[in-house]
Amino acid sequence: MSTALSRTEVYSLLSLSFACFGILINTFQGDGEPLIASIAFSGLAFASCYALIRWLGDAFVRRGFKGRDMCKLKQSEIPETMGAVCAVVYLFIIIIFIPWPFYKDIVAATSGGGNRDVMEELQQVETGRLLHKFPHSKLASYLSAVLSLQCIISLGIGDDLFDIRWRHKVLIPAVAAIPMLIVYFVDFGVTQMVVPTPLRPYLGELFDLGWLYYVYMALMSIFSANSINILAGINGIEVAQSLVIALLIVFNDALYLSPFAPYPHPATDSHLFSLYLLLPFIGVSLALLKHNWYPAKVFVGDTYCYFAGMVFAVDGILGHFSKTLILLLLPQGFNFIYSAPQLFHIVPCPRHRLPRFNARTGLLECSRVEFKKPLSRPIAEALKILHRLRLLDIETNEKGEVVSSSNFTLINLWLVWFGPMREDRLALGLLAFQTAVGFLGLFIRHRMALLVFTQDNW
Ligand code: UD1
Ligand code: MG
């Protein structure tokens, strides 16, 4: 990979950075304008991540962080784990950003709401008498998000370094989720679910899940972090699917913040919070996608997948829209359930399940798993039914025994359905699918919700 930035790249990144700096300095003349500041910070995140990926690529390769692109004729080695660069830039940015959302409160608490010459008030702050006005709970929420993300990033880097076993890997996001679950408990504590209208005669209007709600949220973090990692293996797909999800959440947040939404809406603050976490994520992810899209010049590594999944989980839980988030993760959910037979070793699972590159045609075909030992009768029959439903592609021998099948991933299933295709077309197809399902999910959330619930909280 050429590591030096071209002249055009240098000029573009520099002008973007200067513009963002200018905007940031200007925010201090008003109330801090946190949303504007967040956009400017996201621009800076993009520029620094873009440059660092280039500059650090070779250093990563020298340390052994490299991988072979298996879907290419010439399988050259390229830097891996570049998601760690993104994750670290992201952490720095959201930490530096902390003063902005609280700027108004800091000014109010230290000088009496813009009346900066009232000096007694300042003394009162120092003796703690005005501190109760400061939104400590919001700061706690924000800090717990930072802590949870930091935790998951160290897991990701550990995994990229040492290839942690699956059964250990699965639990770590649950530990990472503890800080934000505590804050959720102390700050919000709502563990009730609104019951759909048809079930109300039996369960009442609200159903309290109690501590199970916390189990549900921990499972949500495990699912979200791992599901992105297993919908992977072709250039660009990990980052691009995360970007699609992030943009869909931003779209949903915008619905609550737009001038047409009733104001002040009780959910305004939580959707602003969601944007503060997502906009810089979009910044670093765009920089990574530029280098990871077909033909990839870097790989993202597991760090990126866990990090992205955890950003969504933290965002959904602390932003109080975890059920909407499930709707946006439906393709990942399908891939997870579809993968289950291989993940739980009901049928063999090869180390890599990414599609197979056909050197003659230059196209990707679905990869297959060979069954060396004959499968047990019920499993073989189940695979045959899936084959008939066009949900799998199996091969049988003359005795009617199943000898191989396509690997159980959405990416391979796509190839079973639509035939061999080039790597970027495959990625684009899957992304279009993700986008369509996401919009459908949001539509259901805001329109159809009225059919099963008495009101939409928008
Ligand atoms: C997960 C999947 C595995 C899939 C792999 C690909 C499960 C249980 N595991 O494993 O089936 O093969 O991701 O990322 O579903 N690579 C490419 N082209 C790409 C991306 C990756 O060839 O566009 C290869 C490279 O050799 C790279 C390696 O995949 O080095 C990275 O695999 P890794 O992320 O370590 O695999 P897992 O996350 O463990
Ligand atoms: Mg991976």
Side-chain angles (χ1 to χ4, degrees):
M1 181 173 79
S2 77
T3 48
L5 292 164
S6 73
R7 192 183 283 253
T8 345
E9 283 172 327
V10 171
Y11 286 140
S12 319
L13 293 178
L14 272 181
S15 29
L16 176 65
S17 308
F18 279 127
C20 292
F21 261 123
I23 294 173
L24 272 183
I25 290 169
N26 257 313
T27 58
F28 283 115
Q29 298 188 335
D31 284 339
E33 265 85 317
L35 190 55
I36 308 271
S38 178
I39 295 171
F41 268 118
S42 309
L44 287 176
F46 172 83
S48 38
C49 198
Y50 193 105
L52 281 172
I53 288 176
R54 283 296 187 71
W55 293 333
L56 295 178
D58 283 344
F60 272 58
V61 171
R62 278 199 299 277
R63 298 277 164 192
F65 292 107
K66 55 190 174 186
R68 234 172 251 293
D69 198 338
M70 296 193 258
C71 300
K72 301 288 180 303
L73 193 57
K74 192 167 151 276
Q75 297 193 355
S76 51
E77 279 190 327
I78 56 177
E80 179 128 29
T81 320
M82 292 321 269
V85 177
C86 284
V88 171
V89 169
Y90 175 83
L91 264 187
F92 278 12
I93 291 285
I94 60 168
I95 290 175
I96 303 172
F97 177 66
I98 293 176
W100 270 266
F102 302 102
Y103 181 70
K104 217 165 51 181
D105 304 293
I106 296 171
V107 172
T110 50
S111 65
N115 201 357
R116 289 166 206 234
D117 41 27
V118 188
M119 288 311 286
E120 290 136 21
E121 303 249 355
L122 188 62
Q123 282 160 3
Q124 283 180 333
V125 174
E126 276 154 11
T127 53
R129 264 183 287 158
L130 267 178
L131 276 183
H132 62 276
K133 287 198 184 151
F134 187 82
H136 289 284
S137 64
K138 279 190 202 144
L139 181 59
S141 219
Y142 194 89
L143 291 180
S144 74
V146 175
L147 196 53
S148 287
L149 289 170
Q150 213 152 17
C151 205
I152 203 77
I153 292 169
S154 46
L155 156 73
I157 296 178
D159 187 34
D160 279 324
L161 273 172
F162 304 114
D163 256 329
I164 303 176
R165 291 256 188 90
W166 248 87
R167 54 171 176 266
H168 303 139
K169 243 177 1 190
V170 162
L171 286 176
I172 300 178
V175 178
I178 291 175
M180 70 168 167
L181 293 186
I182 299 282
V183 168
Y184 186 91
F185 174 73
V186 176
D187 191 30
F188 195 62
V190 177
T191 55
Q192 286 137 336
M193 261 174 47
V194 182
V195 177
T197 326
L199 297 176
R200 289 204 180 157
Y202 316 103
L203 297 171
E205 211 169 296
L206 291 175
F207 182 70
D208 192 11
L209 276 172
W211 59 272
L212 276 179
Y213 201 82
Y214 292 90
V215 175
Y216 150 73
M217 290 189 290
L219 287 178
M220 188 69 209
S221 328
I222 296 180
F223 165 71
S224 164
N226 283 290
S227 66
I228 294 188
N229 190 28
I230 64 170
L231 189 53
I234 56 171
N235 290 177
I237 198 78
E238 294 102 325
V239 192
Q241 68 180 303
S242 308
L243 268 170
V244 169
I245 298 168
L247 289 170
L248 285 165
I249 305 178
V250 168
F251 173 76
N252 185 50
D253 290 334
L255 288 181
Y256 290 83
L257 300 172
S258 76
F260 307 109
Y263 187 83
H265 191 283
T268 302
D269 272 354
S270 38
H271 287 282
L272 270 176
F273 175 88
S274 154
L275 283 182
Y276 299 155
L277 290 184
L278 279 178
L279 296 176
F281 174 76
I282 292 176
V284 293
S285 297
L286 281 174
L288 185 58
L289 184 64
K290 175 75 181 51
H291 296 96
N292 181 238
W293 187 254
Y294 178 88
K297 291 177 202 68
V298 304
F299 284 137
V300 302
D302 290 345
T303 313
Y304 181 82
C305 304
Y306 293 135
F307 159 63
M310 200 64 184
V311 168
F312 301 143
V314 169
D315 210 56
I317 292 170
L318 293 176
H320 311 304
F321 56 89
S322 60
K323 274 156 280 161
T324 309
L325 181 59
I326 294 180
L327 291 172
L328 299 181
L329 290 173
L330 281 178
Q332 284 71 19
F334 172 80
N335 186 53
F336 199 82
I337 296 169
Y338 185 59
S339 293
Q342 287 195 314
L343 294 183
F344 300 111
H345 295 288
I346 298 168
V347 295
C349 182
R351 168 68 183 88
H352 278 294
R353 305 190 293 165
L354 44 83
R356 199 178 70 84
F357 178 71
N358 184 329
R360 206 164 42 77
T361 58
L363 301 179
L364 295 190
E365 297 165 358
C366 68
S367 61
R368 310 188 68 83
V369 48
E370 314 279 335
F371 304 125
K372 307 242 164 52
K373 282 185 282 182
L375 294 172
S376 71
R377 188 69 205 267
I379 293 173
E381 289 308 316
L383 297 194
K384 282 180 189 166
I385 294 173
L386 284 178
H387 179 81
R388 232 166 288 146
L389 294 172
R390 300 227 337 127
L391 283 173
L392 201 65
D393 182 55
I394 60 167
E395 264 174 3
T396 47
N397 62 12
E398 59 287 357
K399 281 184 275 175
E401 290 167 345
V402 183
V403 288
S404 84
S405 94
S406 55
N407 274 312
F408 296 59
T409 68
L410 179 58
I411 302 179
N412 284 308
L413 185 58
W414 197 264
L415 291 169
V416 170
W417 284 342
F418 302 110
M421 60 179 91
R422 221 174 74 167
E423 194 169 355
D424 51 344
R425 277 211 35 220
L426 175 58
L428 283 174
L430 289 163
L431 292 170
F433 177 67
Q434 169 94 48
T435 313
V437 172
F439 273 118
L440 190 69
L442 287 182
F443 181 73
I444 293 173
R445 165 72 187 77
H446 291 293
R447 285 285 158 259
M448 310 299 208
L450 295 174
L451 300 180
V452 281
F453 295 110
T454 46
Q455 58 175 2
D456 175 13
N457 73 0
W458 177 31

